[in-house]
Amino acid sequence: GSWSQERKIEFQSSVSIILLNNVVNFGTLQMYESKNTSNDTIAPFLLENNGNAFLNVSLNSTQLWESVSGDSSYYKYKIKNNSAELGSFNWLQSITSWTNFPIGWTSQAISKLDFNTSKDTAKTDVLVTVPPQEPAGNRSSTVTFTASLGE
C-alpha cells in the first residue's frame, strides 16, 4: 500500500548516574580547622551521567557533627565543572557557590547534567569546619545523590 509521510519515533529515557569518586576523606582535623576539596588536593565527589538524557541531580546528607544539628555553615557543598569536561551542566541553575548541606531534606544541586560522553560529569566540592564545641572522635556522613529527568 501507500506509505504515509507522517512518522512516529519514540525514545525511552534512561536515568542513570554513577559516582566515580564516592568517598571524601579529610583525615584528622583540629577544633576550628577547615578543609575543602576545591583545589582537588582532596578529591571531591565525581558524578557521571550514564543515561541517555539530560538529568537534574538532587542531594541530601546525614548529620556530620555531634554538636550541631541540622543544616549549618560547618558543612557545605558546591557543584563545579570537571576540568576535563567543561560545560557539562547548566551553571546558572545549579548550586555553584558554597551552600549548607541539606540535612533531612533534599535539594536540587545540578541542573541538566549532559549525557554526551565528552561532557557528562560534574564535581561536588565539600567544605568542613570543626565546630567550637565538637567533642573529639571520628565523624562520617552519607551524601545521597538522586537523579531525575532534566527536561
Side-chain angles (χ1 to χ4, degrees):
S2 63
W3 292 93
S4 168
Q5 294 298 317
E6 189 174 312
R7 306 283 190 270
K8 181 178 180 182
I9 300 173
E10 294 182 12
F11 294 96
Q12 185 170 354
S13 298
S14 172
V15 176
S16 176
I17 56 174
I18 186 171
L19 279 170
L20 300 174
N21 182 45
N22 62 359
V23 174
V24 175
N25 187 343
F26 291 106
T28 302
L29 300 174
Q30 302 300 315
M31 190 88 54
Y32 300 108
E33 186 176 4
S34 289
K35 284 194 179 177
N36 70 72
T37 61
S38 63
N39 63 7
D40 290 336
T41 56
I42 299 170
F45 291 114
L46 178 59
L47 182 91
E48 181 178 71
N49 180 349
N50 280 354
N52 64 2
F54 287 96
L55 300 179
N56 293 331
V57 180
S58 298
L59 58 76
N60 66 27
S61 178
T62 59
Q63 194 69 45
L64 176 62
W65 305 113
E66 290 182 12
S67 64
V68 177
S69 62
D71 307 359
S72 79
S73 61
Y74 298 105
Y75 184 37
K76 296 183 172 198
Y77 78 97
K78 68 180 175 85
I79 306 303
K80 72 177 180 184
N81 282 304
N82 177 0
S83 60
E85 298 186 358
L86 299 176
S88 296
F89 58 90
N90 183 315
W91 185 268
L92 295 176
Q93 294 179 354
S94 300
I95 305 296
T96 57
S97 58
W98 291 116
T99 303
N100 297 347
F101 261 105
I103 309 295
W105 59 285
T106 301
S107 176
Q108 182 175 310
I110 304 172
S111 177
K112 296 185 175 80
L113 180 60
D114 205 325
F115 58 93
N116 292 292
T117 304
S118 63
K119 55 181 184 172
D120 62 354
T121 61
K123 292 182 176 182
T124 302
D125 278 326
V126 179
L127 165 67
V128 297
T129 303
V130 180
Q133 301 301 319
E134 187 70 15
N138 293 329
R139 300 290 179 271
S140 66
S141 175
T142 300
V143 177
T144 302
F145 294 87
T146 305
S148 61
L149 196 56
E151 294 183 316

